[in-house]
Amino acid sequence: MPFPQNTALLGRAWRQSLGGRTGRLYLATGVAAGTVYEYDRRFQASAISRTLRAFWTIAVISADYKINFRSERGVEYLNGIHERASRRLLSCCRDNGGLFIKFGQSIAVQSALLPPPFRRELSTLYDNAPSSPIAQITPVIERSFPGKSIEDLFIDFSPTAVASASVAQVHTARLCSNPTQRVAVKVQKPEIQLQIGWDLFALRTCARLIEYAFEIPIMWSVNEVEERLREELDFEREGNNSELASRDLSTLGDRQLRRGVYIPRVFWNETAKEVLTTEWVDGTSLVHPQQLTSEGWSNKDIMQRMVSLFAFQIFVTGNVHGDPHPGNILVRQHPENRRWKEPQLV
């Protein structure tokens, strides 16, 4: 079989052909990736991107611990690993938002089980969740009450959220049915329903990875977490639980507990699966302990009421507040006492 005489020319032609195919492959890959990204952003609320970010973060953290965690390297070195891991996890939760904020909050309250950097870093998620603009919130309200606009339900609806959490945000307003009644309107963020399936898939996969990599048995808890998170997206259920807690307090609580705790009233005509409307109550969040101190509140008095409340729920009623992080509890002056400082939990 004859061979070409000019092997240099053949090599150049081969490289040009290969380069052309490689360039087309890169171009096709880039176009495909861009298309998937744009589809994910526009129609899936970035659920795929968020899931991949979570997988990458957990993989990097796991590799860091696997490679570098050696007890003989000393406490300061090991604390550096915890610091890196907690910062990476915080960044992932902030970037992803939604249920990842709640995942981070859940980790932050495990101060007895995890190294201090995790609590310190992730506790910033209690009251710093990003909020959605009013243009995205209005359709959620209006689809929850067919045939009604937001103006048919509320007066002076605040254009920006006064508080924002993992799956919802709160706006102030007054009721059209009772213009003197100021209310807090908790609205589910519009992207949550699109993201929840992917987020729970990410949770299950990451938990399985951690269990495999470190032989920590945590998969048993995933089904329970998934069930509770889905329930938390039903605001009618939350309203019913709020009224159940209020009835327990009024019928089974002693006088001191009834004075020390207040549960806001639910307005059912303005409440649906994705919208919860309650009376507005002014108070200071437990997230801000320095502000509580500057207002003259005693930490001892506050904690006595807190312990009494949860002991009552655990040992008397069996109906326990399922999300008791500091951002969900306020302290105010008892409205019937104008003579001395008397804290009341809300």
Side-chain angles (χ1 to χ4, degrees), residues 37-273:
Y37 173 80
E38 191 64 18
Y39 169 80
D40 182 42
R41 186 180 67 85
R42 287 178 176 270
F43 302 108
Q44 296 295 323
S46 298
I48 299 173
S49 303
R50 296 163 71 254
T51 301
L52 293 176
R53 184 182 294 116
F55 289 168
W56 174 254
T57 300
I58 294 301
V60 170
I61 291 174
S62 298
D64 195 5
Y65 273 105
K66 273 290 191 181
I67 296 170
N68 297 312
F69 195 88
R70 300 289 184 271
S71 58
E72 63 271 14
R73 295 181 176 178
V75 173
E76 185 174 349
Y77 183 87
L78 300 181
N79 282 338
I81 301 176
H82 299 322
E83 293 281 357
R84 291 196 299 272
S86 59
R87 286 196 297 269
R88 285 167 176 153
L89 195 55
L90 174 63
S91 177
C92 177
C93 291
R94 279 181 170 168
D95 291 343
N96 280 356
L99 288 178
F100 281 87
I101 299 290
K102 183 153 299 287
F103 297 158
Q105 291 172 345
S106 300
I107 295 172
V109 300
Q110 306 300 321
S111 57
L113 302 177
L114 295 172
F118 285 91
R119 182 199 60 77
R120 185 173 60 252
E121 295 288 342
L122 295 172
S123 62
T124 62
L125 296 172
Y126 286 145
D127 63 346
N128 288 325
S131 60
S132 300
I134 185 68
Q136 295 179 11
I137 288 297
T138 299
V140 177
I141 297 175
E142 294 182 345
R143 76 175 178 232
S144 298
F145 303 96
K148 293 185 178 181
S149 68
I150 191 172
E151 291 79 12
D152 295 328
L153 298 165
F154 304 108
I155 303 170
D156 296 335
F157 190 91
S158 62
T160 57
V162 296
S164 182
S166 53
V167 301
Q169 60 193 58
V170 176
H171 295 255
T172 60
R174 291 183 292 122
L175 297 177
C176 285
S177 58
N178 181 8
T180 63
Q181 178 64 61
R182 193 180 181 205
V183 293
V185 186
K186 179 179 178 180
V187 187
Q188 194 170 123
K189 294 179 178 178
E191 67 274 12
I192 294 300
Q193 292 298 331
L194 286 173
Q195 294 173 345
I196 183 172
W198 284 96
D199 289 354
L200 294 178
F201 166 71
L203 171 65
R204 178 176 290 276
T205 305
C206 291
R208 194 176 299 279
L209 173 63
I210 293 170
E211 183 173 275
Y212 174 79
F214 300 101
E215 299 182 356
I216 301 175
I218 59 175
M219 282 302 298
W220 62 269
S221 66
V222 172
N223 289 335
E224 178 73 15
V225 170
E226 287 186 6
E227 185 178 350
R228 296 288 85 80
L229 285 174
R230 291 187 185 277
E231 289 177 351
E232 191 169 339
L233 299 184
D234 183 353
F235 290 175
E236 289 180 334
R237 183 185 183 93
E238 182 176 342
N240 285 323
N241 287 338
S242 179
E243 291 194 337
L244 173 61
S246 182
R247 286 195 302 271
D248 287 344
L249 192 63
S250 61
T251 58
L252 299 175
D254 58 30
R255 180 179 180 277
Q256 184 177 4
L257 188 60
R258 291 197 303 271
R259 283 190 65 84
V261 179
Y262 181 76
I263 299 172
R265 174 188 172 189
V266 177
F267 295 95
W268 286 105
N269 289 336
E270 292 80 20
T271 292
K273 293 285 187 182

Side-chain angles (χ1 to χ4, degrees), residues 249 254-263 281-284 295-297 301-302 305 330-346:
L249 192 63
D254 58 30
R255 180 179 180 277
Q256 184 177 4
L257 188 60
R258 291 197 303 271
R259 283 190 65 84
V261 179
Y262 181 76
I263 299 172
V281 178
D282 288 309
T284 302
E295 292 174 358
W297 297 117
D301 289 343
I302 293 172
R305 285 160 174 77
L330 303 179
V331 178
R332 69 167 180 174
Q333 169 65 24
H334 196 292
E336 298 176 2
N337 187 348
R338 299 182 180 277
R339 291 175 293 175
W340 65 84
K341 298 284 283 186
E342 181 182 359
Q344 186 178 62
L345 304 183
V346 179

